[in-house]
Each structure stands twice: as C-alpha cells, then as structure tokens.
Amino acid sequence: MAKHTVNGIDIYYQIDGDISGKPIIFSNSLASNLNMWDLQIEHLLAQGFGIIRYDSRGHGQSEVPKGPYSIEMLADDAAGLLTALGIQSVHFCGLSKGGMVAQMMGVRHADKVKSLTIADSAAFMPLKDTWEQRIQAVTAGGMEAVVDATIERWITSEGRDRLPEQVQLIRQMILSTPVQGFVACSEAIKSMDMRATNPKIIAPTLVICGKQDTGTTPQQAEEIADAVPNAKLELINNAAHLANIEQHEVFNSLLSNFLGNVDG
C-alpha cells in the first residue's frame, strides 16, 4: 500500500510504468476511487506514459478528515503528492470532481501542470438544492440511498446493458465511499466557482464531455472551453457522465492524441 502524508493526511496512490519521463496523474470523481481509471492504463502505458493515480481525500483508501473540504484544498493535496513523489510537472487529467481539481491546478499550481484534461466537469454548479438533497440523503441513509440514481446518471441505459462488469465496479466504488468524505467533497463542489479564474489558465487544455451527460452537461463543458484560452472541446456520443468508462476507446484516443500534440 503506497501512501504519502500530504497536507497533514495520508493520500493513497498507485503508480504504473515509469513516471520519470512522461508522467500523467488521474484525479477521481466524487464517490469513486482510483480504480475508475482502470480502462485508461494499458493504452497509456503503450504510449510511453508513466501513470499516477490517487484517491482523493475522503475517498478510497485515503484518509477521511472532517469536512467541509474545498476545491483549493483538493488541488493542494494533488500538488503536495506530486512534490512528495519528486515530480516537477505532470499532465493532469480529472473527471467530474477531479476535473474541478484540474481547473484549480491550472490556476493555483500552474507550474506543476504540463497540460490539463478536464472531463465531464463544470466550473460552477448552480443547483445548490440538489447537492443539499444528496447530502441529506446520504447522511440519513448511507451511500445506499444514492447508489442507483447515481449509476443511472453516470452511465446510459445502453451502456449499463453493455458493460455489466463495469457497472458492478462503479456500484462497489459508490457503496465503499465514506459518507463523511462524500459529504465534505459535496460541500466543496456546491461552493466552488471557477468562472472568474479559468481565463487565467495557461496550460494546454482539453475539455471532454459525454453528449448524454446530465450531471455536468455539454453546455457546462463548452463554458469551460470558452473560458480557458485556446482550450479544445470534444464531445463523446453514447456516453453519460463516466465517459472514460462508457466509451473508453474513444476517450483514450482523444486523450493520447492531445497529449502527443502537447509533448510533440
């Protein structure tokens, strides 16, 4: 078990390949863990990338300190982990909450990112009541109270039929998420607003979104791409929120082509 103490808490991480050459770090969504990126690993290793995955605070095998958290705090965790690993700069890829961390990394720790990939994410979440309802549901009934509705948002009905093993993995990730971690990160998402700071991002940026994503919509992806200078927007058909799982081959191709252009 690989852990580093970062910002006073233990962060769990996993390394695949050689991270001394072309390192990329993946940041997980709310209610998941580093295993959400399993379908990216083989493809990127074949492209010569070294891969760092980690569990966000409050998730997976990382520590679950008392909340609330903030997106700034989560970005500082990622930056601190890179420092602990001796990585000067890295390609940063995050989805949903991880994509929010990516945006903040581009502003708060710009020297540490070679590029940003922001997948199925948003700069601002306007529906505050929705987040409060989820927090109340989980506080009262545990993660079981939201697991079915979450899977329905995250994967299209066609995808759920086509990928039963992945759906089971997603279910287990959601159910194993500590309630305190879910609530504290939900508070971070509910309160964040990066609309004013995203124009300050200077790193090459790719924005990806599933066309059927109802949680963080293609319109919200377009808003990020419009705000970040020279960002590129790619929409993936037949994919909802977890586009990296539901259409992993398309996602992997978009990601590796983008990274190849940045490194080239």
Side-chain angles (χ1 to χ4, degrees):
M1 183 179 296
K3 289 188 177 182
H4 271 304
T5 300
V6 175
N7 293 338
I9 67 165
D10 287 338
I11 295 291
Y12 175 78
Y13 67 94
Q14 180 175 325
I15 292 175
D16 295 279
D18 179 7
I19 60 173
S20 66
K22 297 195 299 182
I24 179 169
I25 188 168
F26 286 103
S27 185
N28 61 285
S29 71
L30 183 70
S32 72
N33 56 50
L34 57 77
N35 294 120
M36 69 167 283
W37 301 107
D38 286 352
L39 296 179
Q40 278 64 65
I41 304 308
E42 182 178 350
H43 178 84
L44 288 172
L45 288 177
Q47 302 290 323
F49 290 93
I51 301 158
I52 307 162
R53 293 182 280 171
Y54 72 100
D55 290 335
S56 168
R57 69 165 58 208
H59 287 68
Q61 297 182 62
S62 288
E63 198 169 335
V64 190
K66 184 178 179 181
Y69 310 157
S70 67
I71 299 300
E72 290 85 350
M73 182 187 297
L74 299 181
D76 290 349
D77 289 346
L81 177 60
L82 292 175
T83 298
L85 292 172
I87 301 298
Q88 186 172 359
S89 63
V90 67
H91 297 291
F92 197 104
C93 178
L95 187 145
S96 193
K97 174 178 64 64
M100 297 166 191
V101 175
Q103 293 168 71
M104 186 58 68
M105 287 290 293
V107 175
R108 194 172 174 90
H109 300 286
D111 59 321
K112 290 187 176 295
V113 291
K114 295 180 181 179
S115 74
L116 300 173
T117 299
I118 302 164
D120 294 276
S121 193
F124 173 73
M125 299 298 284
L127 302 178
K128 309 300 183 186
D129 289 347
T130 298
W131 285 100
E132 194 56 43
Q133 290 165 11
R134 290 174 189 168
I135 289 169
Q136 292 175 2
V138 166
T139 300
M143 296 305 295
E144 293 85 355
V146 297
V147 62
D148 290 334
T150 301
I151 291 174
E152 288 178 6
R153 283 196 311 275
W154 282 7
I155 303 287
T156 66
S157 58
E158 185 277 332
R160 296 196 297 273
D161 291 338
R162 180 169 53 86
L163 300 167
E165 292 183 4
Q166 293 301 320
V167 171
Q168 185 59 28
L169 169 66
I170 294 165
R171 178 176 293 275
Q172 290 303 318
M173 287 195 298
I174 295 169
L175 291 175
S176 64
T177 299
V179 166
Q180 182 167 297
F182 177 90
V183 169
C185 281
S186 294
E187 294 283 2
I189 293 170
K190 188 177 76 166
S191 62
M192 64 100 190
D193 187 350
M194 293 178 284
R195 293 174 292 181
T197 53
N198 275 350
K200 300 177 183 178
I201 293 174
I202 59 174
T205 299
L206 172 65
V207 182
I208 299 176
C209 189
K211 284 187 178 180
Q212 285 71 42
D213 190 346
T214 60
T216 51
T217 64
Q219 180 181 348
Q220 288 172 297
E222 185 174 353
E223 289 168 356
I224 295 172
D226 286 345
V228 176
N230 302 312
K232 182 178 182 181
L233 174 64
E234 296 282 1
L235 301 180
I236 299 179
N237 199 22
N238 299 316
H241 193 55
L242 294 188
N244 72 304
I245 293 177
E246 187 163 6
Q247 297 294 341
H248 68 274
E249 291 180 349
V250 177
F251 186 97
N252 292 347
S253 178
L254 292 172
L255 178 59
S256 60
N257 288 342
F258 167 69
L259 296 178
N261 289 333
V262 172
D263 282 336

